[in-house]
Structure formats: C-alpha cells, structure tokens
Amino acid sequence: DPLEIAVSQLAQPGAHMVPGMLGPSAALLAPAEALAMPRQEFVARTLGRIFEAGLEGCRRQALRPVHYDELPAAAGTSLAATLGVAADEATRQAMLAVTPADAKNPLLPFTPDRETKRAAAAPELVAAVDRHVRPAYAALELLRAGLPRAAR
C-alpha cells in the first residue's frame, strides 16, 4: 500500500527521498521548491511520480505489475523469465533463503508492520498520498488484475 511506503520513507528515507541528495527530484521539483515543502508532501509527490513511471513502463512494455503481497515468491515463479532467473527448485530455494532479512537492515529479520505503519500515518500524509499516489496505484492494480486500462 502506498501509505505504508510513505510512512516507511518518512521514518527511514532512501536517498531519493531527501531533496537534493541525488540531484533533481524524481517528482520533477526544483530544489528550492522541494526543500520548502513539508516532507510528507515531498514524499507523496516523489512516490506518485515513481508509481506513474512504473505504470508508464508497464504499459509501454506490456508488463504485468507485481504486488508486494506476491513477493518474494514471484521472483522464482511468475517473474523468473522476465528477470532471467532459472525457475528450478534449487534457485527458488536459494532466493527464498535470503527473504527473511529486513530490506533496510539485512542483519535484522523482516517483521510485518503494516498495521503499525497505517496507524502512524498522519492525516496530512494520508491526504497527500491519496492526491499524488493513489491514482497511479489504482491504475497499476487494474493492470495487474488484467482489467481495462484506467483513465490516465
């Protein structure tokens, strides 16, 4: 869920979520504008642009989006050919062996925290995510489900 990603990025931002850290913003904002806006707004706009780019790429390349809930299994099954990964059992088991680790700190085990993240979301963040991310997320979900294209 985009809201969970936004909460995570506010708590432990990637370099792309720090205005100016990697050069121009993924949200195509001028540095001064990005630095002047509330972090919640910047994170939501940046995520929105990332989701839009993902949607554009899926449409252009006729790719099927993969939902977070399909991971990690999809890497060794439905995505194997796309990723150039052998779909044999040994490869699948090797990939699954590394999935218990937390992505941001591989020394720690992964712990599901969806409800905690949703509860931590301030109303301003919810509104910003709804404005900037939900439209592309909804279109990706329609594409993933094989339904007709959502309005652009």
Side-chain angles (χ1 to χ4, degrees):
D1 183 88
L3 183 60
E4 296 162 20
I5 297 168
V7 169
S8 179
Q9 288 299 320
L10 286 168
Q12 288 184 289
H16 62 294
M17 290 294 179
V18 178
M21 179 74 74
L22 296 178
S25 159
L28 306 177
L29 300 167
E33 182 182 6
L35 288 167
M37 71 178 50
R39 279 196 68 225
Q40 294 174 338
E41 182 72 14
F42 177 78
V43 166
R45 286 187 186 200
T46 301
L47 283 177
R49 184 61 197 114
I50 290 168
F51 275 64
E52 289 165 4
L55 177 61
E56 292 166 16
C58 284
R59 286 179 173 161
R60 189 174 40 255
Q61 300 295 320
L63 299 172
R64 179 189 167 275
V66 176
H67 193 279
Y68 179 81
D69 290 340
E70 295 176 80
L71 299 171
T77 56
S78 61
L79 287 177
T82 302
L83 297 174
V85 173
D88 61 85
E89 186 62 19
T91 302
R92 194 177 74 75
Q93 289 301 321
M95 288 191 308
L96 291 176
V98 297
T99 61
D102 183 283
K104 290 185 178 177
N105 187 348
L107 298 176
L108 298 176
F110 171 77
T111 306
D113 57 359
R114 287 180 154 177
E115 294 308 317
T116 303
K117 286 179 181 172
R118 289 179 187 160
E124 298 82 11
L125 180 61
V126 173
V129 167
D130 286 348
R131 243 185 349 268
H132 298 292
V133 190
R134 292 264 177 229
Y137 177 72
L140 283 162
E141 283 295 276
L142 287 174
L143 190 60
R144 185 175 70 87
L147 300 175
R149 283 189 180 186
R152 293 181 190 209

